[in-house]
Amino acid sequence: METEDCRVREVLDKVGDKWSVSVIGVLGRETRRFSEVKRAIPGISQRMLTVTLRALERDGLVTRTVYATVPPRVDYALTALGLTLLDSAWPLMNWALDHVGEIDKARDAYDRQRPEVPPQQP
Amino acid sequence: METEDCRVREVLDKVGDKWSVSVIGVLGRETRRFSEVKRAIPGISQRMLTVTLRALERDGLVTRTVYATVPPRVDYALTALGLTLLDSAWPLMNWALDHVGEIDKARDAYDRQRPEVPPQQP
DNA sequence: CAGGATCCCGAGCGATACTG
DNA sequence: CAGTATCGCTCGGGATCCTG
């Protein structure tokens, strides 16, 4: 954890950013249209979906296929590289799922110990 | 990837944030003092190290031990939970290390295809 | 030595409106 | 349908100064 660790962190930042994981998870092993991905991720704005997909495409993690139809249609899918990322991220995603409860409990315990600006009524 | 996915993302955000991974990596299986961790992570400010460590402690991932000596001394170490996180994160960290090169290449190729505001001299 | 308190800038992102 | 363009706000986080 020293010198080129920053490069790792850069990649981890990407995985950790607000939407990339969700998008990669939704794509999984199937090809999806823009609107399908959007519908599959409740809170995302079309802007952030576009931005996120562009970034993933730029990094060689997803492919973008445009069909010159009317109305337009664009398909997204994970590349081979993207699939290896998905596989490598699985353990961590599972960890998150498995331990959310523990984390919540730890957090509550921690918060109960420190008053931290006890509620006032302004 | 639908409803409680947001909880997973919340945890992933934590892992993906700017310093958590580095801190967890530095702690690894050994106890370290505040200043040791700080020195092991080049770019970090003491403020962000404090903030990051507090968040990890709150989530039950690291323990904080204060010695009432002069000068003061504070030790940090991963909890059992933190260790399971470290293990689960390994595959992803390795993936990042192994594929940084590929990502850079993909990025360069992508950028070379789109002019994207060709350099001007203002 | 370990960290609390402030100030402050800019990236990140949501909301909205327009287009091929 | 699948974007692009703008505006504006939030807040992450760096710099700096102070303390037990």
PDB file of all heavy atoms in Angstrom, chain A residues 50-78:
ATOM      1  N   THR A  50     -26.216   8.284 -18.502  1.00  0.00           N
ATOM      2  CA  THR A  50     -25.393   8.559 -19.682  1.00  0.00           C
ATOM      3  C   THR A  50     -23.930   8.736 -19.299  1.00  0.00           C
ATOM      4  O   THR A  50     -23.037   8.109 -19.875  1.00  0.00           O
ATOM      5  CB  THR A  50     -25.881   9.845 -20.388  1.00  0.00           C
ATOM      6  OG1 THR A  50     -27.241   9.675 -20.747  1.00  0.00           O
ATOM      7  CG2 THR A  50     -25.056  10.128 -21.620  1.00  0.00           C
ATOM      8  N   VAL A  51     -23.689   9.570 -18.314  1.00  0.00           N
ATOM      9  CA  VAL A  51     -22.320   9.839 -17.888  1.00  0.00           C
ATOM     10  C   VAL A  51     -21.624   8.554 -17.438  1.00  0.00           C
ATOM     11  O   VAL A  51     -20.486   8.270 -17.817  1.00  0.00           O
ATOM     12  CB  VAL A  51     -22.306  10.872 -16.733  1.00  0.00           C
ATOM     13  CG1 VAL A  51     -20.926  10.975 -16.116  1.00  0.00           C
ATOM     14  CG2 VAL A  51     -22.772  12.222 -17.240  1.00  0.00           C
ATOM     15  N   THR A  52     -22.333   7.769 -16.640  1.00  0.00           N
ATOM     16  CA  THR A  52     -21.749   6.532 -16.116  1.00  0.00           C
ATOM     17  C   THR A  52     -21.442   5.549 -17.243  1.00  0.00           C
ATOM     18  O   THR A  52     -20.353   4.967 -17.299  1.00  0.00           O
ATOM     19  CB  THR A  52     -22.713   5.879 -15.103  1.00  0.00           C
ATOM     20  OG1 THR A  52     -22.972   6.800 -14.041  1.00  0.00           O
ATOM     21  CG2 THR A  52     -22.108   4.607 -14.537  1.00  0.00           C
ATOM     22  N   LEU A  53     -22.389   5.392 -18.153  1.00  0.00           N
ATOM     23  CA  LEU A  53     -22.173   4.469 -19.264  1.00  0.00           C
ATOM     24  C   LEU A  53     -21.008   4.929 -20.133  1.00  0.00           C
ATOM     25  O   LEU A  53     -20.189   4.119 -20.568  1.00  0.00           O
ATOM     26  CB  LEU A  53     -23.451   4.350 -20.104  1.00  0.00           C
ATOM     27  CG  LEU A  53     -24.563   3.494 -19.493  1.00  0.00           C
ATOM     28  CD1 LEU A  53     -25.869   3.681 -20.241  1.00  0.00           C
ATOM     29  CD2 LEU A  53     -24.147   2.025 -19.478  1.00  0.00           C
ATOM     30  N   ARG A  54     -20.902   6.218 -20.350  1.00  0.00           N
ATOM     31  CA  ARG A  54     -19.797   6.743 -21.158  1.00  0.00           C
ATOM     32  C   ARG A  54     -18.450   6.420 -20.507  1.00  0.00           C
ATOM     33  O   ARG A  54     -17.494   6.018 -21.164  1.00  0.00           O
ATOM     34  CB  ARG A  54     -19.931   8.241 -21.320  1.00  0.00           C
ATOM     35  CG  ARG A  54     -20.914   8.683 -22.335  1.00  0.00           C
ATOM     36  CD  ARG A  54     -20.505   8.357 -23.768  1.00  0.00           C
ATOM     37  NE  ARG A  54     -21.467   8.921 -24.713  1.00  0.00           N
ATOM     38  CZ  ARG A  54     -22.675   8.451 -24.899  1.00  0.00           C
ATOM     39  NH1 ARG A  54     -23.088   7.381 -24.244  1.00  0.00           N
ATOM     40  NH2 ARG A  54     -23.502   9.022 -25.745  1.00  0.00           N
ATOM     41  N   ALA A  55     -18.392   6.621 -19.213  1.00  0.00           N
ATOM     42  CA  ALA A  55     -17.151   6.361 -18.488  1.00  0.00           C
ATOM     43  C   ALA A  55     -16.784   4.885 -18.568  1.00  0.00           C
ATOM     44  O   ALA A  55     -15.620   4.528 -18.801  1.00  0.00           O
ATOM     45  CB  ALA A  55     -17.291   6.800 -17.036  1.00  0.00           C
ATOM     46  N   LEU A  56     -17.776   4.039 -18.404  1.00  0.00           N
ATOM     47  CA  LEU A  56     -17.525   2.605 -18.461  1.00  0.00           C
ATOM     48  C   LEU A  56     -17.092   2.198 -19.864  1.00  0.00           C
ATOM     49  O   LEU A  56     -16.225   1.342 -20.045  1.00  0.00           O
ATOM     50  CB  LEU A  56     -18.782   1.823 -18.053  1.00  0.00           C
ATOM     51  CG  LEU A  56     -19.207   1.975 -16.582  1.00  0.00           C
ATOM     52  CD1 LEU A  56     -20.540   1.276 -16.326  1.00  0.00           C
ATOM     53  CD2 LEU A  56     -18.130   1.428 -15.655  1.00  0.00           C
ATOM     54  N   GLU A  57     -17.698   2.837 -20.859  1.00  0.00           N
ATOM     55  CA  GLU A  57     -17.310   2.539 -22.238  1.00  0.00           C
ATOM     56  C   GLU A  57     -15.869   2.989 -22.481  1.00  0.00           C
ATOM     57  O   GLU A  57     -15.077   2.276 -23.082  1.00  0.00           O
ATOM     58  CB  GLU A  57     -18.252   3.264 -23.212  1.00  0.00           C
ATOM     59  CG  GLU A  57     -18.031   2.879 -24.671  1.00  0.00           C
ATOM     60  CD  GLU A  57     -18.674   3.876 -25.620  1.00  0.00           C
ATOM     61  OE1 GLU A  57     -19.292   4.851 -25.137  1.00  0.00           O
ATOM     62  OE2 GLU A  57     -18.527   3.683 -26.848  1.00  0.00           O
ATOM     63  N   ARG A  58     -15.560   4.158 -21.990  1.00  0.00           N
ATOM     64  CA  ARG A  58     -14.217   4.701 -22.175  1.00  0.00           C
ATOM     65  C   ARG A  58     -13.174   3.785 -21.563  1.00  0.00           C
ATOM     66  O   ARG A  58     -12.080   3.611 -22.109  1.00  0.00           O
ATOM     67  CB  ARG A  58     -14.139   6.088 -21.528  1.00  0.00           C
ATOM     68  CG  ARG A  58     -12.837   6.819 -21.799  1.00  0.00           C
ATOM     69  CD  ARG A  58     -12.932   8.288 -21.430  1.00  0.00           C
ATOM     70  NE  ARG A  58     -12.254   8.584 -20.187  1.00  0.00           N
ATOM     71  CZ  ARG A  58     -11.042   9.164 -20.111  1.00  0.00           C
ATOM     72  NH1 ARG A  58     -10.390   9.474 -21.217  1.00  0.00           N
ATOM     73  NH2 ARG A  58     -10.497   9.407 -18.942  1.00  0.00           N
ATOM     74  N   ASP A  59     -13.508   3.161 -20.448  1.00  0.00           N
ATOM     75  CA  ASP A  59     -12.560   2.284 -19.773  1.00  0.00           C
ATOM     76  C   ASP A  59     -12.561   0.871 -20.345  1.00  0.00           C
ATOM     77  O   ASP A  59     -11.873  -0.016 -19.826  1.00  0.00           O
ATOM     78  CB  ASP A  59     -12.881   2.219 -18.278  1.00  0.00           C
ATOM     79  CG  ASP A  59     -12.525   3.522 -17.573  1.00  0.00           C
ATOM     80  OD1 ASP A  59     -11.887   4.382 -18.211  1.00  0.00           O
ATOM     81  OD2 ASP A  59     -12.890   3.677 -16.386  1.00  0.00           O
ATOM     82  N   GLY A  60     -13.345   0.678 -21.400  1.00  0.00           N
ATOM     83  CA  GLY A  60     -13.347  -0.636 -22.028  1.00  0.00           C
ATOM     84  C   GLY A  60     -14.121  -1.682 -21.253  1.00  0.00           C
ATOM     85  O   GLY A  60     -13.881  -2.886 -21.422  1.00  0.00           O
ATOM     86  N   LEU A  61     -15.056  -1.233 -20.441  1.00  0.00           N
ATOM     87  CA  LEU A  61     -15.810  -2.188 -19.617  1.00  0.00           C
ATOM     88  C   LEU A  61     -17.168  -2.522 -20.206  1.00  0.00           C
ATOM     89  O   LEU A  61     -17.718  -3.579 -19.916  1.00  0.00           O
ATOM     90  CB  LEU A  61     -15.981  -1.620 -18.200  1.00  0.00           C
ATOM     91  CG  LEU A  61     -14.660  -1.387 -17.445  1.00  0.00           C
ATOM     92  CD1 LEU A  61     -14.909  -0.635 -16.144  1.00  0.00           C
ATOM     93  CD2 LEU A  61     -13.979  -2.715 -17.169  1.00  0.00           C
ATOM     94  N   VAL A  62     -17.725  -1.618 -21.001  1.00  0.00           N
ATOM     95  CA  VAL A  62     -18.986  -1.915 -21.675  1.00  0.00           C
ATOM     96  C   VAL A  62     -18.901  -1.525 -23.144  1.00  0.00           C
ATOM     97  O   VAL A  62     -18.118  -0.647 -23.527  1.00  0.00           O
ATOM     98  CB  VAL A  62     -20.206  -1.174 -21.039  1.00  0.00           C
ATOM     99  CG1 VAL A  62     -20.200  -1.299 -19.526  1.00  0.00           C
ATOM    100  CG2 VAL A  62     -20.219   0.262 -21.455  1.00  0.00           C
ATOM    101  N   THR A  63     -19.700  -2.189 -23.953  1.00  0.00           N
ATOM    102  CA  THR A  63     -19.800  -1.841 -25.372  1.00  0.00           C
ATOM    103  C   THR A  63     -21.107  -1.094 -25.583  1.00  0.00           C
ATOM    104  O   THR A  63     -22.082  -1.320 -24.867  1.00  0.00           O
ATOM    105  CB  THR A  63     -19.836  -3.099 -26.251  1.00  0.00           C
ATOM    106  OG1 THR A  63     -20.932  -3.926 -25.838  1.00  0.00           O
ATOM    107  CG2 THR A  63     -18.540  -3.879 -26.124  1.00  0.00           C
ATOM    108  N   ARG A  64     -21.076  -0.208 -26.573  1.00  0.00           N
ATOM    109  CA  ARG A  64     -22.245   0.577 -26.902  1.00  0.00           C
ATOM    110  C   ARG A  64     -22.573   0.324 -28.370  1.00  0.00           C
ATOM    111  O   ARG A  64     -21.736   0.533 -29.258  1.00  0.00           O
ATOM    112  CB  ARG A  64     -21.918   2.049 -26.681  1.00  0.00           C
ATOM    113  CG  ARG A  64     -23.081   2.994 -26.860  1.00  0.00           C
ATOM    114  CD  ARG A  64     -22.637   4.419 -26.548  1.00  0.00           C
ATOM    115  NE  ARG A  64     -22.754   5.251 -27.731  1.00  0.00           N
ATOM    116  CZ  ARG A  64     -23.725   6.161 -27.886  1.00  0.00           C
ATOM    117  NH1 ARG A  64     -24.613   6.346 -26.958  1.00  0.00           N
ATOM    118  NH2 ARG A  64     -23.799   6.860 -28.984  1.00  0.00           N
ATOM    119  N   THR A  65     -23.788  -0.147 -28.633  1.00  0.00           N
ATOM    120  CA  THR A  65     -24.184  -0.452 -30.006  1.00  0.00           C
ATOM    121  C   THR A  65     -25.406   0.367 -30.384  1.00  0.00           C
ATOM    122  O   THR A  65     -26.469   0.241 -29.780  1.00  0.00           O
ATOM    123  CB  THR A  65     -24.539  -1.941 -30.146  1.00  0.00           C
ATOM    124  OG1 THR A  65     -23.526  -2.732 -29.498  1.00  0.00           O
ATOM    125  CG2 THR A  65     -24.625  -2.306 -31.614  1.00  0.00           C
ATOM    126  N   VAL A  66     -25.220   1.220 -31.412  1.00  0.00           N
ATOM    127  CA  VAL A  66     -26.308   2.099 -31.829  1.00  0.00           C
ATOM    128  C   VAL A  66     -26.987   1.538 -33.069  1.00  0.00           C
ATOM    129  O   VAL A  66     -26.321   1.164 -34.040  1.00  0.00           O
ATOM    130  CB  VAL A  66     -25.764   3.505 -32.157  1.00  0.00           C
ATOM    131  CG1 VAL A  66     -26.900   4.435 -32.563  1.00  0.00           C
ATOM    132  CG2 VAL A  66     -25.002   4.062 -30.962  1.00  0.00           C
ATOM    133  N   TYR A  67     -28.306   1.450 -33.062  1.00  0.00           N
ATOM    134  CA  TYR A  67     -29.063   1.016 -34.229  1.00  0.00           C
ATOM    135  C   TYR A  67     -29.725   2.227 -34.864  1.00  0.00           C
ATOM    136  O   TYR A  67     -30.393   3.001 -34.163  1.00  0.00           O
ATOM    137  CB  TYR A  67     -30.121   0.003 -33.828  1.00  0.00           C
ATOM    138  CG  TYR A  67     -29.526  -1.254 -33.243  1.00  0.00           C
ATOM    139  CD1 TYR A  67     -29.342  -1.385 -31.875  1.00  0.00           C
ATOM    140  CD2 TYR A  67     -29.121  -2.307 -34.076  1.00  0.00           C
ATOM    141  CE1 TYR A  67     -28.782  -2.536 -31.325  1.00  0.00           C
ATOM    142  CE2 TYR A  67     -28.554  -3.462 -33.541  1.00  0.00           C
ATOM    143  CZ  TYR A  67     -28.392  -3.558 -32.160  1.00  0.00           C
ATOM    144  OH  TYR A  67     -27.830  -4.688 -31.633  1.00  0.00           O
ATOM    145  N   ALA A  68     -29.507   2.381 -36.177  1.00  0.00           N
ATOM    146  CA  ALA A  68     -30.054   3.546 -36.867  1.00  0.00           C
ATOM    147  C   ALA A  68     -31.528   3.348 -37.195  1.00  0.00           C
ATOM    148  O   ALA A  68     -31.950   3.446 -38.343  1.00  0.00           O
ATOM    149  CB  ALA A  68     -29.247   3.833 -38.126  1.00  0.00           C
ATOM    150  N   THR A  69     -32.322   3.066 -36.196  1.00  0.00           N
ATOM    151  CA  THR A  69     -33.749   2.859 -36.397  1.00  0.00           C
ATOM    152  C   THR A  69     -34.513   4.080 -35.912  1.00  0.00           C
ATOM    153  O   THR A  69     -33.932   4.999 -35.351  1.00  0.00           O
ATOM    154  CB  THR A  69     -34.233   1.645 -35.578  1.00  0.00           C
ATOM    155  OG1 THR A  69     -33.961   1.884 -34.189  1.00  0.00           O
ATOM    156  CG2 THR A  69     -33.511   0.381 -36.012  1.00  0.00           C
ATOM    157  N   VAL A  70     -35.813   4.046 -36.154  1.00  0.00           N
ATOM    158  CA  VAL A  70     -36.657   5.113 -35.632  1.00  0.00           C
ATOM    159  C   VAL A  70     -37.837   4.486 -34.923  1.00  0.00           C
ATOM    160  O   VAL A  70     -38.600   3.759 -35.544  1.00  0.00           O
ATOM    161  CB  VAL A  70     -37.145   6.046 -36.762  1.00  0.00           C
ATOM    162  CG1 VAL A  70     -38.457   6.720 -36.357  1.00  0.00           C
ATOM    163  CG2 VAL A  70     -36.110   7.087 -37.106  1.00  0.00           C
ATOM    164  N   PRO A  71     -37.946   4.695 -33.633  1.00  0.00           N
ATOM    165  CA  PRO A  71     -37.078   5.516 -32.781  1.00  0.00           C
ATOM    166  C   PRO A  71     -35.731   4.845 -32.538  1.00  0.00           C
ATOM    167  O   PRO A  71     -35.617   3.638 -32.717  1.00  0.00           O
ATOM    168  CB  PRO A  71     -37.860   5.628 -31.478  1.00  0.00           C
ATOM    169  CG  PRO A  71     -38.697   4.400 -31.436  1.00  0.00           C
ATOM    170  CD  PRO A  71     -39.049   4.094 -32.858  1.00  0.00           C
ATOM    171  N   PRO A  72     -34.758   5.649 -32.175  1.00  0.00           N
ATOM    172  CA  PRO A  72     -33.406   5.121 -31.982  1.00  0.00           C
ATOM    173  C   PRO A  72     -33.352   4.049 -30.913  1.00  0.00           C
ATOM    174  O   PRO A  72     -34.226   3.957 -30.060  1.00  0.00           O
ATOM    175  CB  PRO A  72     -32.597   6.346 -31.586  1.00  0.00           C
ATOM    176  CG  PRO A  72     -33.574   7.365 -31.185  1.00  0.00           C
ATOM    177  CD  PRO A  72     -34.827   7.070 -31.869  1.00  0.00           C
ATOM    178  N   ARG A  73     -32.313   3.242 -30.984  1.00  0.00           N
ATOM    179  CA  ARG A  73     -32.141   2.179 -30.000  1.00  0.00           C
ATOM    180  C   ARG A  73     -30.659   1.976 -29.763  1.00  0.00           C
ATOM    181  O   ARG A  73     -29.868   1.908 -30.712  1.00  0.00           O
ATOM    182  CB  ARG A  73     -32.756   0.897 -30.548  1.00  0.00           C
ATOM    183  CG  ARG A  73     -32.379  -0.326 -29.749  1.00  0.00           C
ATOM    184  CD  ARG A  73     -32.598  -1.601 -30.541  1.00  0.00           C
ATOM    185  NE  ARG A  73     -32.223  -2.744 -29.706  1.00  0.00           N
ATOM    186  CZ  ARG A  73     -33.046  -3.734 -29.391  1.00  0.00           C
ATOM    187  NH1 ARG A  73     -34.269  -3.733 -29.867  1.00  0.00           N
ATOM    188  NH2 ARG A  73     -32.630  -4.719 -28.620  1.00  0.00           N
ATOM    189  N   VAL A  74     -30.265   1.895 -28.496  1.00  0.00           N
ATOM    190  CA  VAL A  74     -28.855   1.707 -28.155  1.00  0.00           C
ATOM    191  C   VAL A  74     -28.740   0.568 -27.153  1.00  0.00           C
ATOM    192  O   VAL A  74     -29.426   0.577 -26.136  1.00  0.00           O
ATOM    193  CB  VAL A  74     -28.248   2.986 -27.555  1.00  0.00           C
ATOM    194  CG1 VAL A  74     -26.774   2.782 -27.248  1.00  0.00           C
ATOM    195  CG2 VAL A  74     -28.428   4.156 -28.514  1.00  0.00           C
ATOM    196  N   ASP A  75     -27.892  -0.372 -27.488  1.00  0.00           N
ATOM    197  CA  ASP A  75     -27.696  -1.518 -26.597  1.00  0.00           C
ATOM    198  C   ASP A  75     -26.369  -1.413 -25.858  1.00  0.00           C
ATOM    199  O   ASP A  75     -25.358  -0.993 -26.424  1.00  0.00           O
ATOM    200  CB  ASP A  75     -27.721  -2.832 -27.384  1.00  0.00           C
ATOM    201  CG  ASP A  75     -29.127  -3.242 -27.750  1.00  0.00           C
ATOM    202  OD1 ASP A  75     -30.073  -2.552 -27.332  1.00  0.00           O
ATOM    203  OD2 ASP A  75     -29.277  -4.253 -28.464  1.00  0.00           O
ATOM    204  N   TYR A  76     -26.402  -1.822 -24.605  1.00  0.00           N
ATOM    205  CA  TYR A  76     -25.178  -1.861 -23.807  1.00  0.00           C
ATOM    206  C   TYR A  76     -24.941  -3.278 -23.293  1.00  0.00           C
ATOM    207  O   TYR A  76     -25.893  -4.002 -22.996  1.00  0.00           O
ATOM    208  CB  TYR A  76     -25.288  -0.908 -22.614  1.00  0.00           C
ATOM    209  CG  TYR A  76     -25.315   0.544 -23.025  1.00  0.00           C
ATOM    210  CD1 TYR A  76     -26.511   1.199 -23.270  1.00  0.00           C
ATOM    211  CD2 TYR A  76     -24.128   1.254 -23.193  1.00  0.00           C
ATOM    212  CE1 TYR A  76     -26.542   2.533 -23.653  1.00  0.00           C
ATOM    213  CE2 TYR A  76     -24.143   2.581 -23.572  1.00  0.00           C
ATOM    214  CZ  TYR A  76     -25.357   3.218 -23.803  1.00  0.00           C
ATOM    215  OH  TYR A  76     -25.376   4.532 -24.194  1.00  0.00           O
ATOM    216  N   ALA A  77     -23.671  -3.651 -23.205  1.00  0.00           N
ATOM    217  CA  ALA A  77     -23.320  -4.964 -22.655  1.00  0.00           C
ATOM    218  C   ALA A  77     -21.920  -4.900 -22.069  1.00  0.00           C
ATOM    219  O   ALA A  77     -21.110  -4.053 -22.462  1.00  0.00           O
ATOM    220  CB  ALA A  77     -23.386  -6.025 -23.747  1.00  0.00           C
ATOM    221  N   LEU A  78     -21.640  -5.774 -21.151  1.00  0.00           N
ATOM    222  CA  LEU A  78     -20.291  -5.834 -20.594  1.00  0.00           C
ATOM    223  C   LEU A  78     -19.332  -6.431 -21.621  1.00  0.00           C
ATOM    224  O   LEU A  78     -19.696  -7.327 -22.375  1.00  0.00           O
ATOM    225  CB  LEU A  78     -20.274  -6.694 -19.328  1.00  0.00           C
ATOM    226  CG  LEU A  78     -20.981  -6.138 -18.102  1.00  0.00           C
ATOM    227  CD1 LEU A  78     -20.726  -7.035 -16.894  1.00  0.00           C
ATOM    228  CD2 LEU A  78     -20.516  -4.724 -17.801  1.00  0.00           C
TER     229      LEU A  78
END
